[in-house]
Amino acid sequence: MIHMKKKLVKAIIRVCSNLFVATNPVVARRVQALITTAVRAVAIITICVIGLIINTLIACSPVVLENQDLDNFAAAFRAANQAKDIKPMLELYATNGIDKEQLTALKGALEYELGLPIESINFQKFTNDTDAQIDYMHQGVTYGPSLAPKILMQVQYSTDDRFMSRFTIGQTETGSWRIICARPKSPTLNKNNH
């Protein structure tokens, strides 16, 4: 990338200085040398400003910011995985509106996975994969996601059986990433929620 920028700078400098000198044959040689140097300086400054603008736009792009947020979420997941109890891990879940039965099942799963050595955490865009569907019916109750699904997170554990977990994550209204839980869709069934 740096090599390409240097080539681009040299090409622009040559073109700018050659155009100026070629269009002004009456200008004295010393003045031509001074003007050529000035044109080269302006070309370098222009290219630097353009490069700075491009780098700023890239760094502030939603994709880069989202990737940084997901990296932070992965770090929080790793830290919660090493905690002494499930409370930090439970805080990474969007549990608003889930019923007592779902909360009990979630806590049981978290206790099983807590402390397993993590080999890798990977993210990919949610694509309505049937394996990641959260909508289902159980004992006459229709369940749906606690947040709108956006990303699939795959956690590969470094265990003998190569245990792996997949999570669907979404963003809260404040922009925080949370692991999605299943919650009853009917508001009348939320009376026993935690």
Side-chain angles (χ1 to χ4, degrees):
M1 185 71 171
I2 293 173
H3 184 64
M4 285 179 49
K5 285 183 180 179
K6 285 182 180 179
K7 282 186 172 183
L8 180 63
V9 169
K10 287 179 182 178
I12 290 174
I13 290 170
R14 275 192 223 117
V15 169
C16 290
S17 61
N18 289 341
L19 283 175
F20 184 80
V21 173
T23 58
N24 295 293
V26 182
V27 179
R29 292 197 188 273
R30 287 185 186 170
V31 175
Q32 283 181 347
L34 180 62
I35 292 173
T36 301
T37 303
V39 168
R40 288 179 179 172
V42 169
I44 290 171
I45 291 169
T46 303
I47 290 170
C48 289
V49 169
I50 290 169
L52 180 63
I53 290 169
I54 290 171
N55 285 338
T56 302
L57 291 174
I58 290 171
C60 294
S61 74
V63 172
V64 171
L65 295 175
E66 184 176 275
N67 287 343
Q68 289 172 349
D69 287 346
L70 290 173
D71 288 344
N72 292 341
F73 186 80
F77 188 91
R78 287 178 186 275
N81 179 62
Q82 295 303 308
K84 294 180 182 181
D85 59 45
I86 63 169
K87 187 178 180 211
M89 185 63 79
L90 196 57
E91 290 173 358
L92 296 177
Y93 283 77
T95 58
N96 290 345
I98 71 170
D99 59 25
K100 190 174 184 178
E101 183 179 320
Q102 293 296 315
L103 186 60
T104 301
L106 174 60
K107 287 179 178 179
L110 293 180
E111 286 176 3
Y112 172 76
E113 291 186 33
L114 192 69
L116 290 178
I118 296 174
E119 182 177 304
S120 64
I121 298 177
N122 296 303
F123 298 99
Q124 55 187 306
K125 197 163 189 78
F126 180 79
T127 58
N128 286 327
D129 182 358
T130 54
D131 292 339
Q133 289 298 320
I134 297 167
D135 297 297
Y136 64 94
M137 183 175 274
H138 178 68
Q139 295 180 348
V141 179
T142 303
Y143 290 87
S146 57
L147 289 174
K150 288 190 174 185
I151 302 286
L152 290 177
M153 180 175 82
Q154 181 174 297
V155 179
Q156 178 65 60
Y157 293 99
S158 183
T159 58
D160 292 339
D161 61 355
R162 305 290 297 152
F163 181 70
M164 180 184 69
S165 286
R166 290 179 70 188
F167 304 90
T168 307
I169 64 175
Q171 283 183 298
T172 64
E173 290 179 5
T174 61
S176 300
W177 290 102
R178 292 290 179 263
I179 299 170
I180 297 171
C181 297
R183 69 176 177 193
K185 287 187 174 181
S186 172
T188 59
L189 297 173
N190 290 336
K191 293 179 181 174
N192 296 328
N193 294 349
H194 294 290

